[in-house]
Amino acid sequence: MAVQEIKKNLRIGVFRGKQKLCERVVTKRSTVTVGCECKESEETQFMVLSSVMPKQWELFIYYPEKDAYALHVTKKMRGRIIVKDGVSLEISPDLKPGNGIRIKGDDIYIALTRASRGRIIIGGKILFLFQFASIRDEGAVARMLNQKAAYRRGIGSFLKSALGVALILSFLAHLIPLLYIGLQDWPRNDEVVLMPSWAKPVTLEEMKVEIENEEPQDEEPTIVEQGDDVLPSVDEGPSNIPDPNSSLSRGELMDQITDKHREQGAMITAQILGVEGGIEGFYGDMLGANTHIADMSDISAGDIGLSASGNLLNQLAAAEGGGSGGGLMGIESGTGNSGPKVVVDGASKKQTTAHAKVEFKMTDKSDFVGAPPAGSKDAIEAMFRKKQGDIKTCYQRVMNAQGKASGRFVLAITVAKDGSVLKVDKIEDQIGGEMYTCVRQRIMNWKFGALKAPIAFKKTWVFS
């Protein structure tokens, strides 16, 4: 009997370096096209945004009369493929025609079989991996599932029958002894029945004697009512809790108990951390007498809708009287380049960790892949001019965290046709810290507006 050959689909993976761009199994038997102007919605087209890619290139040509594919490359492309088991070849300008290889000018056509697989490199950057994957026979799968279902139905029917037989046998096994017992010749009411010794009835007098001889149990504590409270009458040991029988009101009594608990907690924490001096020593030595709030030094009162102007914490410090509000901690206004500070009363010395604002210069440049559509470059540049404050904010945060930093910061950015940002990749980062994370998060939320085509470009900033 002739064995039918299993049909296979073309499986393609696209990579840029170690980054996988896409992977797809082409179920439609048709010519496969790659390039930067392909339609991603088409199953047989692979869009790759890169300057080394052509606009559209038929990489795998399908011949319906033979139901076969041919690999279409040029002498400038590189790669290695396995045509069939045991036969492989390198794609190079020295490739000769023959044995399924046809050369027409710079174009090379290589006939593929069901066992063919390999890789093609375009422009030295974009890698295509391909192979042929088997198509699952849906009819065979359906037949197998039907067979399994029929087998399960047969097993279920057998188990039901076996269970019915088992129930009948169990019923008979219990019914026969009951019938045997019921048919016995039991004594009549006027006959004497001999009872065993352990079944001797106990009289009320005997039960009374047993109860009187029982050992007494421990008495439960007496409950004494005290006003609206019900308290157990037990001996109270020494305690730091104020006497509830004093003349203080219930609210004053609870305040004293709360203050005592707080004092004990502060003393225990101070002992564990090696701090002497009770509550004042704990707050003063642990927090310092003069602590600066760096993260809030750039917030103005107008940012939260207040009518006052200037730094928010300076306004709060002025309202609190410059740190003399009477509590453990106050807010003191900053002077010069320093920001507001938290002041801890009762500490032995004053410290400050205020960061002065650092002046810096920022220049930027855009490099577009190929010739961008008309108007796209102006729209991109206008957005970066509008949003340059986001980049400066991220850079200022890095300087506040790790001191002054300078150098180049380069990103690769891809914008979709609808203006949304598809990808932001780091190319060079001489700033370090959280610079890339901060800038990437800001740019991914931008909306550039509708473009005529997707666009990829490189953005370079120089900080000094």
Side-chain angles (χ1 to χ4, degrees):
M1 182 179 66
V3 179
Q4 183 181 4
E5 183 180 4
I6 299 176
K7 291 186 178 180
K8 294 185 176 182
N9 287 332
L10 187 59
R11 180 183 181 185
I12 301 174
V14 186
F15 297 80
R16 180 190 286 115
K18 295 183 179 180
Q19 180 185 12
K20 183 173 73 173
L21 302 180
C22 68
E23 180 182 355
R24 191 186 309 160
V25 176
V26 182
T27 58
K28 184 178 179 181
R29 307 187 73 75
S30 179
T31 298
V32 177
T33 306
V34 301
C36 59
E37 294 187 0
C38 291
K39 296 180 180 179
E40 192 67 23
S41 58
E42 292 291 336
E43 180 184 357
T44 58
Q45 295 189 18
F46 289 77
M47 182 180 69
V48 182
L49 296 177
S50 176
S51 59
V52 301
M53 289 295 298
K55 293 183 178 180
Q56 288 188 348
W57 180 260
E58 294 181 348
L59 187 59
F60 297 93
I61 300 177
Y62 178 68
Y63 297 93
E65 65 276 4
K66 297 181 180 180
D67 191 21
Y69 283 92
L71 178 64
H72 179 206
V73 296
T74 66
K75 293 183 179 181
K76 294 181 180 180
M77 298 180 186
R78 296 291 179 268
R80 179 181 178 84
I81 65 172
I82 298 176
V83 180
K84 57 184 178 180
D85 294 337
V87 179
S88 63
L89 57 86
E90 293 282 346
I91 299 176
S92 66
D94 300 332
L95 197 61
K96 303 298 182 182
N99 295 328
I101 302 174
R102 182 169 61 92
I103 300 177
K104 185 178 181 181
D106 289 339
D107 294 344
I108 302 174
Y109 301 86
I110 303 173
L112 302 178
T113 65
R114 296 291 185 266
S116 297
R117 59 188 182 277
R119 61 179 184 174
I120 304 99
I121 303 174
I122 299 179
K125 295 182 179 180
I126 307 302
L127 172 65
F128 289 86
L129 299 180
F130 76 94
Q131 66 176 166
F132 288 92
S134 299
I135 303 175
R136 188 172 70 170
D137 188 352
E138 299 295 341
V141 173
R143 289 192 296 273
M144 182 181 66
L145 294 177
N146 291 334
Q147 291 176 357
K148 288 185 177 180
Y151 176 75
R152 287 195 295 267
R153 287 195 296 270
I155 293 295
S157 177
F158 172 76
L159 292 177
K160 289 180 181 179
S161 301
L163 180 61
V165 173
L167 289 175
I168 293 174
L169 294 177
S170 176
F171 177 74
L172 294 177
H174 289 80
L175 180 62
I176 292 175
L178 289 176
L179 292 174
Y180 175 77
I181 293 174
L183 295 176
Q184 295 297 314
D185 187 13
W186 292 95
R188 296 187 302 274
N189 293 334
D190 56 349
E191 293 181 339
V192 178
V193 180
L194 297 177
M195 301 295 292
S197 60
W198 52 263
K200 181 180 178 182
V202 180
T203 63
L204 294 178
E205 294 296 331
E206 293 174 341
M207 293 177 62
K208 182 178 180 182
V209 172
E210 291 181 359
I211 294 175
E212 291 177 353
N213 292 334
E214 288 184 356
E215 295 182 359
Q217 298 180 353
D218 295 337
E219 295 183 359
E220 296 183 356
T222 306
I223 304 300
V224 180
E225 295 186 359
Q226 179 78 16
D228 295 335
D229 300 331
V230 179
L231 304 175
S233 178
V234 296
D235 294 335
E236 295 185 358
S239 173
N240 293 327
I241 301 177
D243 185 9
N245 296 322
S246 65
S247 60
L248 298 176
S249 65
R250 184 179 183 87
E252 293 174 342
L253 180 63
M254 295 305 297
D255 290 341
Q256 289 188 8
I257 294 174
T258 302
D259 293 340
K260 196 66 178 179
H261 287 171
R262 288 177 178 172
E263 181 180 354
Q264 291 175 352
M267 293 297 297
I268 293 172
T269 306
Q271 293 174 4
I272 293 174
L273 300 176
V275 178
E276 298 180 356
I279 299 177
E280 293 184 358
F282 168 69
Y283 284 105
D285 292 343
M286 293 303 297
L287 297 179
N290 208 353
T291 303
H292 177 256
I293 305 178
D295 289 341
M296 299 180 66
S297 60
D298 292 333
I299 301 178
S300 66
D303 291 339
I304 62 173
L306 298 179
S307 58
S309 60
N311 184 273
L312 174 62
L313 292 180
N314 280 336
Q315 298 296 326
L316 293 177
E320 290 292 335
S324 58
L328 287 176
M329 292 185 294
I331 301 177
E332 184 176 280
S333 300
T335 59
N337 291 328
S338 64
K341 293 163 285 187
V342 174
V343 178
V344 182
D345 293 343
S348 59
K349 58 182 179 179
K350 291 188 176 183
Q351 300 174 352
T352 178
T353 58
H355 290 287
K357 281 195 173 182
V358 181
E359 299 295 334
F360 63 90
K361 295 181 180 180
M362 181 183 77
T363 60
D364 64 309
K365 183 181 68 172
S366 302
D367 298 318
F368 292 84
V369 177
S376 300
K377 182 176 180 180
D378 295 337
I380 296 296
E381 294 294 352
M383 176 62 75
F384 275 98
R385 286 193 300 270
K386 179 181 178 181
K387 295 290 187 178
Q388 65 176 348
D390 291 354
I391 311 301
K392 291 182 178 180
T393 299
C394 293
Y395 181 66
Q396 184 69 51
R397 288 185 180 180
V398 173
M399 289 195 298
N400 289 342
Q402 64 187 31
K404 187 174 182 180
S406 60
R408 286 163 49 86
F409 183 69
V410 186
L411 298 179
I413 304 172
T414 304
V415 181
K417 188 176 180 180
D418 62 353
S420 61
V421 180
L422 295 178
K423 293 178 61 179
V424 177
D425 296 323
K426 178 172 63 177
I427 298 179
E428 183 179 1
D429 184 5
Q430 297 180 357
I431 307 302
E434 298 294 329
M435 185 66 178
Y436 171 65
T437 303
C438 179
V439 174
R440 182 183 182 278
Q441 183 178 7
R442 298 295 181 93
I443 295 179
M444 289 297 293
N445 292 326
W446 292 358
K447 188 72 172 181
F448 284 88
L451 303 175
K452 294 183 179 181
I455 185 171
F457 58 94
K458 180 176 69 175
K459 190 70 176 178
T460 302
W461 291 272
V462 179
F463 297 90
S464 61

